C-alpha cells in the first residue's frame, strides 16, 4: 500500500492536537475528594449551583428537571475546584416518561459556565440517543465519537459512568466497558477550567451517585472552597453579579460560577480605600481610555471580592447571574490564591450613592468640525450631519457601574477614520419620501417564534405615532438599506447605518467615563416610547457634540449582528459575521442602542432587532452615518 495513503488522516489529527489512538485508562491511584449525599435539599444547596432548571431530592436521588423557555438543565459542583487531573463516577438514569429521542445530556470535566453567548470551553462528554451515542468535545471541536455499536441510551435504565482526565489522557467507561479513550497533545491548562457538572436539554436526569476523585499523589488537585480560615469580620456594599460577568479578558475568570462584588462602601477601611482610588485615579475632567483601564485595574486589585459558595450565596448568585444588583455582604474575610474572599453570614439588598464627578455630564476631549455636512433627502428636505473625529474609547460598561448587564464587557475600541453622523434619527417624512412607505403606521408581525405571538405587539402604542417629524419606527432592514442606497446616489457619498462602535463613541462624545443614567436627564427624550409619551425628534438638548436624541425610550439600530461584547481591543470593528449572530427564532439579530430597559437608560446598554424591524426590548428607530472623503 502507498505509505502516503494515510497522510490526510495523520494531518487532520495533528491539526486538532489530538492523537487519534486508543489508549488504556490511567493506572494512577485515585482518592475521593467529594462524594455527593443526596439526602435532603441542603445537600444540594450547599454544594451545587443549578442554572435554568430545577434540582430536588426524591427517593435518595438528585432529580434534575429542565426549565426555561428552551428546556435546558445545568448543575455544577461549585463548592470544589479541580484544576488538575480528575475522575468522575456517576450513576444516573432517565425517567421512563422521557422519549428515547429526547435523551440529551452532557457530563463536564474541566469545564466552565459560558459567559452570555460564548461557547463553553473545556471537556464534555455528550450523550445522545440519536446519531453518535457519545462523543468527547473540547469547546466546539469533537475530539472523538463512539461508534453506534458501543452502546445505546434508553429510558428507565441505570448507567454507571466513569469519566477520567489524567493530564492529556481522557477516557470514558459505561457499565465497565470502555467507550472512548484519547490523548490530547495540548491539554487544557489549569486553573482556568475546573468545574465538573451535568447539563442537557429536554431531558430529566435522576442522579443516584456522584463521586469526584483526584490522584493520590496530587492532593492539591482539589480546592475545597467550603473550608474557611479564620479572619476578620467585614461588611462590603456595592454592585454584585456572577464573577463570569466581571472578567475583562478571556481566561481571567476561572470557570466557577461564584458571586463577586465591587466594594464601593462598607467598613471604614474599605470606604477609605475607595475614596483614595477615586481621588488619585478619577480626574475631574472625566476618563480617557487609558485612565478608565487604570481605574478598573485598581478596583480589581483592591476592591473586588468573591463570595464563598453556599446556600446563602447560591440563592443570590442565581438571581444575579445576568444583571447586577447592589448588595451589602457581611462575613469572614480571607485571601486565597491571590483573591479576596468573604464567607457570607448575611446578604441583603442595599443602596449606594456614586461620587458627584462620576455623575457629571461628559466633557469631550476634542470637538467635531464646525462645518456640518448637509445631505439632500429630496428637493425640499435636508439632513444635517456632524463630522466626528477619530479616536479611542472604552466601550461597554465598567464593572463598578450599576445597573449593568453581563454582556456589556468593557474593552478598548479604536476608530481610525472620521465620519459624519446625522444629528437626529430618520423621520417618517424623510423615510416615506425616499422609500415610499411608512412602517410606523402598521403593527409589526409576531417577534420570535410562533409560540410567542404578540411579543412585538406588547411594545406598540395603542395609537401609532404618525407625523412628519416623528422618528420612523420598525423599518425592515431591506428598506433601510434601500433608503441608504438612494441617499448615497443622490449625494454622491456613502450613506449607511452606523456600526455599534461608531454609535457608542458618538453618544459618549469620545469619552470613557461611566454611563450613569443621571448624566443624561436633560438629553433624554421619549422618541419610540412604548407608553404613549412618544414625541417628535429634536425636542431636548443635544449632547456635547451636537447630536440629538441619543438617549431615549426607543432603540437605535446599528449594523453589527448581535453577540456579546468581545474581551479584547478592537480596531474599526464591524461586529461578528452573520453566521455567528444570536437568533431567537426570527432570524439573525442585529444590535440596537440607546433605549430604555426595565427603567434603565445608559448608552452602553444594547438590545436586539430582527431584520423585519421587530425589536426585542421595545421600538426600533435608526439614524445614518456618512463616510468622510
Amino acid at each position: 500500500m502507498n505509505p502516503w495513503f494515510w497522510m490526510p488522516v495523520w494531518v487532520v489529527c495533528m491539526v486538532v492536537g489530538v492523537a487519534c489512538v486508543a489508549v488504556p485508562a490511567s493506572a494512577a491511584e485515585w482518592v475521593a475528594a467529594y462524594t455527593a449525599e443526596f439526602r435532603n435539599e441542603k445537600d444540594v444547596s450547599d454544594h451545587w449551583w443549578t442554572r435554568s432548571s430545577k434540582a430536588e431530592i426524591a427517593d435518595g436521588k438528585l432529580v434534575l428537571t429542565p426549565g426555561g423557555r428552551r428546556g435546558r438543565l445545568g448543575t455544577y459542583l461549585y463548592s470544589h475546584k479541580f484544576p488538575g487531573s480528575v475522575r468522575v463516577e456517576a450513576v444516573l438514569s432517565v425517567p421512563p416518561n422521557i422519549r428515547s429521542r429526547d435523551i440529551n445530556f452532557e457530563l463536564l470535566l474541566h469545564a466552565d459556565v459560558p459567559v452570555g453567548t460564548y461557547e463553553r470551553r473545556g471537556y464534555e462528554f455528550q450523550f445522545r440517543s440519536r446519531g453518535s451515542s457519545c462523543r468527547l468535545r473540547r469547546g466546539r471541536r469533537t475530539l472523538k465519537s463512539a461508534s453506534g455499536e458501543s452502546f445505546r441510551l434508553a429510558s428507565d435504565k441505570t448507567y454507571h459512568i466513569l469519566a477520567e482526565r489524567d493530564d492529556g489522557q481522557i477516557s470514558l467507561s459505561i457499565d465497565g466497558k470502555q467507550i472512548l479513550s484519547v490523548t490530547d497533545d495540548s491539554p487544557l491548562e489549569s486553573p482556568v477550567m475546573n468545574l465538573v457538572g451535568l447539563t442537557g436539554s429536554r431531558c430529566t436526569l435522576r442522579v443516584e451517585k456522584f463521586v469526584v476523585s483526584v490522584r493520590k499523589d496530587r492532593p492539591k488537585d482539589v480546592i475545597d472552597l467550603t473550608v474557611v480560615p479564620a479572619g476578620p469580620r467585614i461588611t462590603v456594599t456595592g454592585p454584585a453579579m456572577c464573577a463570569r460577568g466581571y472578567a475583562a479578558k478571556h481566561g481571567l475568570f476561572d470557570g466557577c460560577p461564584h458571586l463577586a462584588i465591587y466594594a464601593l462602601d462598607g467598613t471604614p477601611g474599605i470606604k477609605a480605600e475607595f475614596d483614595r482610588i477615586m481621588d488619585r485615579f478619577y480626574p475631574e475632567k472625566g476618563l480617557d481610555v487609558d485612565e478608565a483601564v487604570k481605574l478598573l485595574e485598581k478596583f480589581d486589585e483592591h476592591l473586588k471580592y468573591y463570595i464563598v459558595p453556599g446556600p446563602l450565596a447560591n440563592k443570590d448568585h442565581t438571581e444575579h447571574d445576568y444583571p447586577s444588583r447592589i448588595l451589602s455582604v457581611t462575613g469572614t474575610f480571607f485571601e486565597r490564591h491571590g483573591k479576596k474572599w468573604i464567607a457570607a453570614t448575611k446578604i441583603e439588598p442595599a443602596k449606594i450613592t456614586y461620587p458627584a464627578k462620576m455623575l457629571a455630564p461628559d466633557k469631550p476631549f476634542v470637538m467635531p468640525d464646525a462645518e456640518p455636512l448637509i445631505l439632500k433627502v429630496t428637493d425640499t428636505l435636508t439632513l444635517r450631519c456632524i463630522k466626528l473625529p477619530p479616536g479611542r474609547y472604552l466601550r461597554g460598561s465598567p464593572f463598578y457601574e450599576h445597573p449593568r448587564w453581563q454582556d456589556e464587557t468593557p474593552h478598548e475600541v479604536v476608530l481610525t477614520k472620521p465620519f459624519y453622523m446625522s444629528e437626529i434619527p430618520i423621520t417618517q417624512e424623510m423615510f416615506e419620501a425616499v422609500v415610499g412607505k411608512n412602517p410606523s403606521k402598521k403593527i409589526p408581525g409576531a417577534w420570535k417564534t410562533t409560540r410567542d405571538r404578540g411579543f412585538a405587539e406588547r411594545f406598540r402604542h395603542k395609537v401609532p405615532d404618525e407625523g412628519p417629524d416623528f422618528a420612523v419606527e420598525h423599518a425592515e432592514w431591506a428598506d433601510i438599506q434601500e433608503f441608504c442606497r438612494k441617499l448615497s446616489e443622490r449625494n454622491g457619498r456613502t450613506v449607511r447605518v452606523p456600526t455599534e462602535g461608531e454609535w457608542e463613541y458618538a453618544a459618549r462624545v469620545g469619552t470613557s467615563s461611566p454611563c450613569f443614567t443621571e448624566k443624561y436627564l436633560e438629553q433624554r427624550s421619549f422618541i419610540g416610547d412604548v407608553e404613549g409619551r412618544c414625541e417628535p425628534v429634536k425636542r431636548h438638548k443635544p449632547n456635547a457634540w451636537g447630536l440629538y436624541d441619543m438617549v431615549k425610550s426607543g432603540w437605535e439600530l446599528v449594523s453589527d449582528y448581535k453577540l456579546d461584547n468581545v474581551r479584547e481591543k478592537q480596531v474599526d470593528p464591524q461586529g461578528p459575521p452573520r453566521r455567528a449572530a444570536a437568533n431567537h427564532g426570527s432570524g439573525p439579530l442585529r444590535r440596537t442602542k440607546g433605549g430604555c430597559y426595565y427603567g434603565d437608560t445608559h448608552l452602553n446598554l444594547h438590545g436586539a432587532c430582527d431584520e423585519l424591524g421587530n425589536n426585542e426590548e421595545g421600538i426600533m428607530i435608526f439614524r445614518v452615518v456618512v463616510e468622510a472623503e
Side-chain angles (χ1 to χ4, degrees):
M1 180 179 290
N2 186 339
W4 294 101
F5 176 81
W6 295 105
M7 185 65 176
V9 177
W10 178 82
V11 170
V12 170
C13 293
M14 292 301 292
V15 168
V16 299
V18 178
C20 298
V21 295
V23 293
S26 170
E29 186 176 355
W30 300 83
V31 293
Y34 169 80
T35 301
E37 296 181 358
F38 299 129
R39 296 170 300 186
N40 53 54
E41 305 296 336
K42 190 174 184 300
D43 292 330
V44 178
S45 62
D46 281 357
H47 298 280
W48 296 82
W49 180 57
T50 301
R51 187 186 190 202
S52 302
S53 53
K54 180 181 179 182
E56 57 186 350
I57 302 297
D59 300 325
K61 301 180 181 67
L62 172 63
V63 181
L64 300 171
T65 306
R69 65 186 181 192
R70 295 184 177 91
R72 293 177 177 173
L73 66 85
T75 188
Y76 306 87
L77 178 62
Y78 85 153
S79 62
H80 294 68
K81 296 183 180 183
F82 300 94
S85 296
V86 65
R87 168 188 278 188
V88 174
E89 180 184 3
V91 178
L92 54 82
S93 60
V94 177
N97 63 317
I98 302 297
R99 297 176 298 182
S100 294
R101 67 182 184 181
D102 288 336
I103 298 177
N104 184 354
F105 65 93
E106 297 87 33
L107 174 63
L108 310 181
L109 290 184
H110 287 274
D112 64 349
V113 182
V115 179
T117 58
Y118 284 101
E119 295 288 332
R120 180 184 294 116
R121 306 168 298 171
Y123 299 110
E124 64 177 43
F125 290 99
Q126 294 185 338
F127 299 91
R128 304 287 186 267
S129 57
R130 294 182 289 181
S132 297
S133 55
C134 179
R135 58 182 178 175
L136 172 64
R137 288 174 62 87
R138 173 179 167 176
R140 291 187 176 185
R141 296 185 302 167
T142 297
L143 302 186
K144 193 172 184 180
S145 297
S147 63
E149 294 76 26
S150 299
F151 79 104
R152 282 295 176 190
L153 292 166
S155 302
D156 203 25
K157 181 179 178 181
T158 300
Y159 295 96
H160 189 147
I161 299 174
L162 186 64
E164 179 182 304
R165 182 226 168 165
D166 190 6
D167 295 328
Q169 183 176 317
I170 306 107
S171 62
L172 174 73
S173 297
I174 299 179
D175 296 336
K177 179 182 178 181
Q178 188 174 83
I179 304 299
L180 289 174
S181 185
V182 298
T183 297
D184 190 345
D185 291 334
S186 55
L188 294 168
E189 296 181 2
S190 62
V192 174
M193 314 298 173
N194 50 47
L195 278 181
V196 297
L198 293 163
T199 59
S201 62
R202 306 184 306 277
C203 177
T204 298
L205 293 178
R206 298 183 301 192
V207 186
E208 301 177 25
K209 181 180 182 181
F210 200 94
V211 179
V212 187
S213 302
V214 296
R215 284 179 49 159
K216 186 176 182 179
D217 59 339
R218 298 180 183 176
K220 292 185 178 180
D221 279 357
V222 58
I223 301 171
D224 187 349
L225 295 176
T226 63
V227 177
V228 178
R233 183 178 175 85
I234 65 170
T235 296
V236 300
T237 302
M241 69 162 36
C242 176
R244 295 171 295 126
Y246 279 154
K249 295 181 180 179
H250 286 297
L252 289 187
F253 61 101
D254 59 11
C256 258
H258 303 304
L259 193 66
I261 185 170
Y262 280 85
L264 309 186
D265 202 348
T267 50
I270 291 171
K271 182 64 169 67
E273 184 64 24
F274 173 74
D275 291 341
R276 183 190 70 82
I277 292 174
M278 287 296 298
D279 289 342
R280 184 173 178 183
F281 297 102
Y282 200 108
E284 294 292 338
K285 65 178 178 57
L287 300 173
D288 62 24
V289 62
D290 297 318
E291 292 163 339
V293 170
K294 175 61 71 173
L295 183 68
L296 275 176
E297 290 174 349
K298 292 300 177 182
F299 277 167
D300 274 355
E301 180 182 356
H302 299 285
L303 298 174
K304 185 177 183 179
Y305 292 79
Y306 294 85
I307 312 302
V308 174
L312 192 61
N314 194 359
K315 176 180 180 297
D316 281 281
H317 176 234
T318 300
E319 295 175 354
H320 308 144
D321 183 35
Y322 199 66
S324 65
R325 295 288 188 272
I326 301 297
L327 297 179
S328 178
V329 180
T330 299
T332 301
F333 165 72
F334 63 96
E335 293 194 51
R336 176 184 284 158
H337 303 297
K339 295 180 179 178
K340 297 178 175 64
W341 290 86
I342 300 176
T345 56
K346 184 179 181 181
I347 300 177
E348 58 185 358
K351 294 182 179 180
I352 59 171
T353 300
Y354 284 92
K357 59 183 174 181
M358 278 189 168
L359 306 178
D362 295 326
K363 301 174 183 177
F365 302 112
V366 59
M367 294 301 291
D369 281 8
E371 188 67 28
L373 172 69
I374 306 299
L375 275 184
K376 186 176 182 180
V377 180
T378 67
D379 291 339
T380 58
L381 277 176
T382 59
L383 178 61
R384 189 172 186 266
C385 300
I386 309 296
K387 188 176 183 180
L388 306 182
R392 305 162 55 225
Y393 74 108
L394 194 69
R395 177 174 142 193
S397 303
F399 298 136
Y400 56 81
E401 183 179 308
H402 173 79
R404 73 178 297 274
W405 299 80
Q406 188 189 80
D407 53 3
E408 298 169 9
T409 308
H411 61 286
E412 181 181 351
V413 167
V414 180
L415 301 177
T416 62
K417 301 175 183 178
F419 61 95
Y420 293 90
M421 176 169 278
S422 62
E423 68 171 2
I424 58 172
I426 301 305
T427 65
Q428 295 178 29
E429 181 181 29
M430 294 177 187
F431 195 82
E432 191 163 11
V434 174
V435 182
K437 62 177 73 172
N438 185 356
S440 312
K441 297 180 180 180
K442 71 179 182 68
I443 300 295
W447 200 89
K448 294 190 178 180
T449 66
T450 55
R451 291 180 297 175
D452 197 18
R453 290 195 181 279
F455 187 96
E457 283 79 347
R458 297 206 303 271
F459 296 119
R460 289 297 301 171
H461 321 295
K462 294 180 180 179
V463 179
D465 292 314
E466 298 180 27
D469 52 356
F470 281 78
V472 65
E473 300 174 356
H474 292 299
E476 296 185 12
W477 176 253
D479 291 335
I480 292 173
Q481 292 298 91
E482 178 70 4
F483 177 86
C484 292
R485 184 186 66 80
K486 289 185 175 181
L487 255 63
S488 297
E489 291 177 352
R490 187 164 293 162
N491 292 272
R493 308 290 292 261
T494 300
V495 181
R496 56 176 173 80
V497 175
T499 66
E500 183 175 14
E502 292 169 336
W503 191 96
E504 189 170 319
Y505 175 73
R508 300 172 70 166
V509 295
T511 73
S512 298
S513 302
C515 296
F516 293 107
T517 302
E518 294 88 336
K519 299 169 66 170
Y520 310 106
L521 297 181
E522 292 186 342
Q523 299 177 34
R524 191 190 189 286
S525 72
F526 291 100
I527 292 176
D529 190 76
V530 298
E531 298 179 7
R533 300 171 295 181
C534 203
E535 58 189 344
V537 301
K538 208 173 180 178
R539 292 298 189 270
H540 297 266
K541 288 186 177 181
N543 69 12
W545 276 355
L547 301 171
Y548 292 86
D549 304 313
M550 298 297 280
V551 185
K552 58 203 154 296
S553 300
W555 293 79
E556 284 196 31
L557 181 70
V558 294
S559 61
D560 300 44
Y561 284 108
K562 176 177 171 57
L563 203 62
D564 293 348
N565 279 8
V566 301
R567 295 168 184 264
E568 59 269 341
K569 178 179 177 179
Q570 293 181 300
V571 178
D572 296 324
Q574 301 298 310
R578 181 182 176 88
R579 66 179 181 277
N583 186 333
H584 294 168
S586 61
L589 301 175
R590 295 182 188 271
R591 280 194 168 188
T592 51
K593 300 286 289 184
C596 181
Y597 190 57
Y598 289 107
D600 174 22
T601 304
H602 62 266
L603 297 175
N604 34 24
L605 186 68
H606 63 256
C609 180
D610 68 18
E611 294 187 340
L612 295 179
N614 301 313
N615 194 59
E616 187 172 14
E617 286 78 19
I619 293 174
M620 187 274 286
I621 62 178
F622 78 100
R623 73 178 70 213
V624 297
V625 296
V626 183
E627 294 183 2
E629 294 180 336

